[in-house]
Amino acid sequence: MQKLVAEKLSYIHQVKIVLITVLATLIPLSSVLIIVDSTTDLPLEDLTRDPSAIMEIPPYIGIFSNIGILFWCACTTICLFTCLLLKKANRFPEYTKFLFYSGLLTGLLLLDDFFLLHETVLPEYMFISERKVYAVYLMIGLTFLVKFRKILQKTEYVIFANAIIFFALSIISDTIWEEISNAVEDTFKLIGIVNWVTYFFRLSLLKMNSIFNVSSVKLEAALTTTDITLR
């Protein structure tokens, strides 16, 4: 009897989650589509379909940019999820805070890259030059580094520093060495993103290991596998 009651409660709980998920997706999406349809002449398909399908271009267009965005998204999720686990376990409060702000920063970079904020949206629609946006990002980055410098020193900071170096090379290529091919700039950025994700993935894995008490042998094997994959 108790088993049937538990199963019924579990079923009801799952149905509630499904309803919440559907509504949380449907209401904002429908609201945006209704507003766009009633205030502009923009076809709604332009907001719902894949860009390559709308523009009738090959699907490989922008593939490396899309890969970078996927890495940004993965890193944001890793940081915030690990932060939540650490907070629930009431362990490593300094790393909880570090991963929380790292997740927010990575999320900001994700939005910028995905919506072309510093390249198109801010300069063309809000008349904020690209260099001013870079200056703001530089201030945010420096604040982040100063605030968490002690934690960074305790972790695999060489990987993190390598990410910063390649991001800097990408920005320099975009703003100063403008004659350099965009492919070079984007390659620098993608290498920086991969190093950024690698750093936070390894840090999160180590902290989750401390929570779940995974054996050091298994952890070392996981990190070794990651190293081989990245190579």
Side-chain angles (χ1 to χ4, degrees), residues 58-226:
Y60 58 78
I61 298 296
I63 186 171
F64 287 105
S65 176
N66 290 336
I67 290 173
I69 290 170
L70 290 175
F71 275 122
W72 282 133
C73 186
C75 189
T76 302
T77 304
I78 289 170
C79 289
L80 296 180
F81 182 71
T82 307
C83 167
L84 179 62
L85 290 179
L86 294 179
K87 187 174 181 61
K88 289 288 185 181
N90 197 24
R91 298 282 301 278
F92 310 111
E94 69 278 12
Y95 284 95
T96 302
K97 189 175 183 180
F98 174 60
L99 288 169
F100 174 72
Y101 283 104
S102 298
L104 293 183
L105 177 58
T106 307
L108 173 62
L109 297 174
L110 163 65
L111 293 175
D112 180 277
D113 207 0
F114 187 72
F115 292 107
L116 303 176
L117 296 183
H118 78 273
E119 292 179 312
T120 303
V121 175
L122 294 177
E124 294 187 10
Y125 296 95
M126 302 185 69
F127 308 106
I128 301 175
S129 69
E130 190 173 2
R131 295 196 176 190
K132 288 182 179 179
V133 178
Y134 277 137
V136 172
Y137 284 163
L138 179 61
M139 292 175 60
I140 294 174
L142 290 175
T143 302
F144 178 83
L145 292 175
V146 171
K147 184 177 182 64
F148 296 109
R149 64 188 183 280
K150 293 182 180 179
I151 291 181
L152 289 168
Q153 291 172 357
K154 298 177 184 177
T155 60
E156 297 176 315
Y157 58 85
V158 173
I159 301 174
F160 184 85
N162 199 48
I164 299 300
I165 290 171
F166 277 98
F167 287 149
L169 289 173
S170 175
I171 294 173
I172 291 172
S173 301
D174 187 31
T175 58
I176 299 177
W177 299 336
E178 296 183 356
E179 66 277 5
I180 292 180
S181 169
N182 287 334
V184 175
E185 173 200 340
D186 293 333
T187 299
F188 285 151
K189 184 175 73 172
L190 185 58
I191 295 174
I193 294 173
V194 172
N195 277 274
W196 183 274
V197 176
T198 300
Y199 170 80
F200 284 107
F201 170 74
R202 293 174 67 91
L203 175 62
S204 297
L205 189 61
L206 287 169
K207 294 308 168 186
M208 284 192 288
N209 168 64
S210 300
I211 295 176
F212 297 113
N213 198 25
V214 179
S215 68
S216 59
V217 176
K218 290 183 179 180
L219 176 62
E220 187 64 28
L223 292 177
T224 303
T225 303
T226 305

Side-chain angles (χ1 to χ4, degrees), residues 5 38 151:
V5 173
S38 60
I151 291 181

